[in-house]
Amino acid sequence: MHGTRILDEADRLMTVCNSCRYCEGLCAVFPAMEMRRAFSDGDLNYLANLCHSCGACYVDCQFSPPHEFNVNVPQTLAVARAESYAAYAWPQSLSGAFARNGLVISIVAALSMAAFILGFVALNDRAVLFGVHTGPGAFYKLMPHNVMAALFSAAFLYAILALVMSVRAFWRDIGTPIGGRADGGSIFQAIRDAGELRYLHGGGVGCYNEDEKPTDRRKLYHHLTFYGFLLCFAATSVATLYHYLFAREAPYPWWDLPVVLGTLGGIGLVVGPIGLFIAKSRRAAELLDAQRYGMDVGFIAMLFLTGLTGMLLLLLRETAVMGPLLALHLGAVFALFITMPYGKFVHGIYRFTALVRYAQERRGEAGS
Amino acid sequence: MSSKYDVLVIGGGNAALCAAISARRGGASVLVLEGAPKFYRGGNTRHTRNMRCAHDAATEILTGPYTEEEFWEDLLRVTGGKTDEVLARHMIRESKDILNWIVEQGVRWQPSLGGTLSLGRTNSFFLGGGRAMLNALYLTAERLGVDVEYDAEVTDLVIEDGMFLAARLKRPIRGETEIRATSLVAAAGGFEANIEWLKQYWGEAADNFLIRGTPYNRGSILKMLLDKGVQEVGDPTQCHAVAIDARAPKFDGGIITRHDSVVFGIVVNKHSQRFYDEGEDLWPKRYAIWGRLVAAQPDQIAYIIFDSTVVTSFMPTLFPPIAGQTVAELAGKLELDPAALEKTITEFNAAVRPGTFDHTILDDCRTEGVTPQKTHWARRIETPPYLAYPVRPGITFTYLGTRVNKESRMLMADGRPSANMFAAGEIMAGNVLGKGYAAGMGMTIGSVFGRIAGREAAKHARN
């Protein structure tokens, strides 16, 4: 017996799958399963986070429903995975944020945006808020750079701390009984696997979505979203360096590095989430974790809002709506940061950690 | 849907789809009638995993060459010579090309990874298993314009003087209850799911058989063909039968109910008596013999008995072993006579001679002075908990079928080839497999003769 009903079911499925093993060539979940004969809660959470939900094992399985063995690995692991996010959340008192995540995220996002707008209204007069500001330092007429930097650094550092603490708990749970630290080679392997989404490929033909035909473009949309996010992050980092090292103040001209990075990233963050949302809405119900639909959509929406407000800000920054748009954009980014440890964002962190563990196990096996 | 097709394929598994694709590529219009609903499409192919093909050199997926001659010798050995040499050699030659042809139809192979099967040199494994392979074939067939109907149960075949005219359906398909076609490919499997038919040869014992694969292989097409003058081939009692877990479902338990632990213990019947040398032969031959051995025991039940020292030596099992701290406790749970089981184990343990255990070769661990002997891998059963798996005969497929020639064309009872009827897959497997089995051969028969049947059926239709 396990801690939860879904882990009991995951254990039952892994027992079925381990006596079959037809899927061992499809992804990392099944070879990892084959290294075990019994499954602890930590093992099951590890396997659940190793699953990329490509759906291939469901479509390929001779025992998937309506067969009486009722083997539905993608859905079961999706639910187990979502439950693991709450189980490892730090601090535990905030783990409830996962239960009604869509609602929590929307409220936080709405409050953040409202706070920035109200803040801008309260601290500036109307003329400044709706004024046309151009040239270096234009943004800081609405909010001093130091305030902005302090606020976002605090939010970001909190997110990092919470994530590190959560991953630590996860790593400990999945690391036993073998335990130990991650080695450089395994981390490098996991970066490659995560970077190319190696296991989101249905064994080579692509993802499964509405039926048994591999037509899903989720890998492409995920790449756009993920690399879009990284490019935006890089844009912000470069801009911060510009500010402190070269005393060059935003906004920067369109050809300058932070803007180029931000524009490319923004396009990714707009197109990617739209694609992911459409893919999700078409996905066969039997593959989905219906309970966590709100969490998935909430995160997609936050990324989309971040990208969209950023792009609008770029396009309209020399007009009178710059002030309100800046408030919306900062509100979206702020909400994204502080909800990161309590939403779908963590899937990437746990999956990467699971990939490190998997690389480590494979290396251990090859070495023995 | 047009009312008349060039080629009608009855069946929906590997052989049927290879026939449909090959006929369509040969320019014919093709309809596939699959008797099962969509999820259960593909008959026993759903449960398969690999295919045995001859090849002259190692490839990305195969660890070494497997020559035509070696394949032939393996076939000769497992069938004890009960095979049609001309057909078998033809199949083996064609199997070389099938390895690539099947990939061209969208099927993907995987390297042989783990598990306990040592087939990496001779057999190619489907990535994702048999259902993945089927999905790929169906996608290709549909893309090429093959029509497929599910739940399409054929109730009668109109055959005149060895010539197929039409098939009648239980349920009309878009208004038609009779489908006419210029050529027929029968690829509708064996009759293993038809317990009443099995009873004709096995008596009441057949009630205790478990059917490993599809419940839809009831042999109705085979019976119609034989009744309408197609020549019969094969021994009706011959089939692919292994010992599977007695707790498995009656139908469709598939691969996961198998046991490969015989070598690590002993096997007793309901009287707690051993009845065969558990150490006679290596996997996979020993795997293929235990179904028939258990079928010959009272009530068609037996128990693999071993102890706690070997539980991690074989594949994890779907059903956990039944355990007892003492032999008597185990016997109680198995509803065996405790004294009898204790006596059997004590006598067996006393007969075990020292040796060096190695389950991958015929090792020197054997018994002396007990009947039957265990000639290899004999070790004492003495470390509690004592464990057992109950097993029953698990029937994979039957060998009674329609006789065909090298063109996969059915032969009539008088020896004449049919004008337009072809057969492929399990329905004609008995031509090649008179008895016995070697892993992956069912798929070889299906793909090779399916491809030939489709090609020849299209050729006939277009003449």
Side-chain angles (χ1 to χ4, degrees), chain A residues 13-87:
Chain A
L13 293 191
M14 290 300 101
T15 304
V16 175
C17 295
N18 218 0
S19 60
C20 175
R21 301 187 168 184
Y22 281 16
C23 283
E24 64 187 0
L26 291 183
C27 72
V29 171
F30 300 99
M33 168 196 79
E34 287 179 21
M35 294 179 203
R36 295 156 169 80
R37 290 179 85 97
F39 303 93
S40 67
D41 283 10
D43 290 334
L44 294 169
N45 285 331
Y46 162 53
L47 296 173
N49 280 285
L50 206 46
C51 167
H52 287 55
S53 248
C54 74
C57 62
Y58 181 84
V59 172
D60 290 353
C61 180
Q62 65 267 47
F63 304 119
S64 56
H67 194 281
E68 65 179 285
F69 290 159
N70 194 29
V71 174
N72 188 340
V73 173
Q75 189 179 52
T76 305
L77 293 191
V79 178
R81 190 159 62 239
E83 290 191 0
S84 77
Y85 303 158

Side-chain angles (χ1 to χ4, degrees), chain A residues 15-16 18-26 34 37 58-69 202-205 208 212-214, chain B residues 38-41 46-49 108 110 113-115 127-129 131-132 135 139 249 252-253 255-256 258 311-312 314-318:
Chain A
T15 304
V16 175
N18 218 0
S19 60
C20 175
R21 301 187 168 184
Y22 281 16
C23 283
E24 64 187 0
L26 291 183
E34 287 179 21
R37 290 179 85 97
Y58 181 84
V59 172
D60 290 353
C61 180
Q62 65 267 47
F63 304 119
S64 56
H67 194 281
E68 65 179 285
F69 290 159
V205 289
Y208 292 83
E212 78 282 359
K213 300 181 177 80
Chain B
K38 189 174 178 188
F39 172 79
Y40 281 101
R41 73 183 181 186
R46 281 175 58 240
H47 293 297
T48 62
R49 187 186 198 183
R108 294 167 300 141
Q110 73 170 31
L113 301 171
L127 185 66
R131 190 168 167 225
N135 290 342
L139 278 180
D252 216 56
I255 188 72
I256 64 180
R258 72 189 174 296
V311 280
T312 55
F314 43 84
M315 278 278 288
T317 56
L318 174 66

